[in-house]
Amino acid sequence: MIEPEMAFYDIHDNMQLATDLLRAPGDVCYSNCAEDLEFLDKRAREEEAGKPQDQRSELGLIDRLKFEPAMNFKN
């Protein structure tokens, strides 16, 4: 229920707030849990290898997270 506190925001402020709310957890995970993300990336690659070629993702887990426009991780 963040909307009442943002009653006087315009559409651009709301879009920036939504982007920030999506980006913050990703930044924390990427900066504090890089080893865990690498482990999950490895597991995802192994799982992708078992799929038929036409169903495989070209990007790994970390690459997919970085690809998302809102997830502009700070390296």
Side-chain angles (χ1 to χ4, degrees):
M1 294 293 301
I2 197 161
E3 294 87 6
E5 287 80 15
M6 304 302 150
F8 300 105
Y9 269 29
D10 63 17
I11 186 68
H12 300 290
D13 294 330
N14 283 329
M15 288 188 307
Q16 185 61 50
L17 176 65
T19 300
D20 293 342
L21 289 172
L22 289 171
R23 184 180 291 155
D27 284 342
V28 171
C29 289
Y30 193 74
S31 62
N32 295 329
C33 306
E35 291 177 8
D36 294 328
L37 285 175
E38 289 171 11
F39 171 77
L40 292 172
D41 184 50
K42 180 182 174 189
R43 294 286 306 264
R45 277 186 270 136
E46 292 170 358
E47 185 176 317
E48 289 288 320
K51 292 181 179 179
Q53 184 67 31
D54 63 334
Q55 295 178 1
R56 293 182 191 171
S57 175
E58 295 178 15
L59 301 173
L61 175 67
I62 294 173
D63 293 330
R64 283 182 283 184
L65 289 173
K66 286 182 179 180
F67 184 74
E68 291 298 320
M71 300 302 180
N72 206 1
F73 292 129
K74 301 168 191 154
N75 292 358

